[in-house]
């Protein structure tokens, strides 16, 4: 579920869309907002797991030599 903003600054890094969605998921999660825990602690508890796996797959596809033909995963 990518988020698009009109006022968003351009980020041309690899996996920028996934990185932004993953970061916003963690920072807006009840674990961080209401309980006051660190985002790293919430990750260990398993929150935003789907975005974490997608971000990992996108970063891993950068190292994969087959991605030259298939393209990077993610958005």
């Amino acid at each position: 579920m990518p988020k698009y903003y009109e006022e968003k600054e351009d980020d041309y890094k690899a996996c920028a869309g996934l990185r932004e969605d993953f970061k916003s998921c963690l920072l807006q999660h009840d674990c961080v907002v209401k309980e006051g825990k660190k985002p790293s602690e919430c990750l260990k508890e398993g929150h935003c797991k789907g975005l974490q796996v997608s971000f990992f797959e996108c970063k891993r596809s950068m190292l994969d030599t087959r991605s030259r033909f298939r393209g990077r995963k993610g958005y």
Side-chain angles (χ1 to χ4, degrees), residues 1 9 18-20 24 27 32 34 37 40-41 43-44 46-47 53 63 69 71 74:
M1 60 183 175
E9 56 186 66
L18 278 171
R19 178 185 290 118
E20 183 179 340
S24 66
L27 294 178
V32 175
K34 292 183 180 176
K37 295 182 181 179
S40 59
E41 294 172 354
L43 273 179
K44 291 177 184 174
H47 301 290
V53 170
L63 300 173
F69 303 108

Side-chain angles (χ1 to χ4, degrees), residues 2 8 11 15 18 31 35 51 53 61 63 66-67 69-70:
K8 184 179 113 176
D11 189 7
C15 310
L18 278 171
C31 178
E35 297 176 19
L51 284 172
V53 170
S61 72
L63 300 173
R66 293 175 294 176
S67 67
F69 303 108
R70 296 180 184 167

Side-chain angles (χ1 to χ4, degrees):
M1 60 183 175
K3 295 182 180 178
Y4 299 101
Y5 302 104
E6 294 178 5
E7 302 171 4
K8 184 179 113 176
E9 56 186 66
D10 294 332
D11 189 7
Y12 296 108
K13 294 180 183 177
C15 310
L18 278 171
R19 178 185 290 118
E20 183 179 340
D21 288 346
F22 182 46
K23 184 172 93 173
S24 66
C25 175
L26 277 177
L27 294 178
Q28 295 173 358
H29 202 275
D30 289 341
C31 178
V32 175
V33 176
K34 292 183 180 176
E35 297 176 19
K37 295 182 181 179
K38 293 181 182 179
S40 59
E41 294 172 354
C42 295
L43 273 179
K44 291 177 184 174
E45 294 176 7
H47 301 290
C48 303
K49 193 68 172 176
L51 284 172
Q52 182 183 14
V53 170
S54 298
F55 183 62
F56 170 76
E57 290 291 327
C58 181
K59 293 299 255 185
R60 187 174 72 172
S61 72
M62 291 172 49
L63 300 173
D64 189 9
T65 57
R66 293 175 294 176
S67 67
R68 292 181 301 162
F69 303 108
R70 296 180 184 167
R72 262 188 316 201
K73 295 181 180 177
Y75 46 91

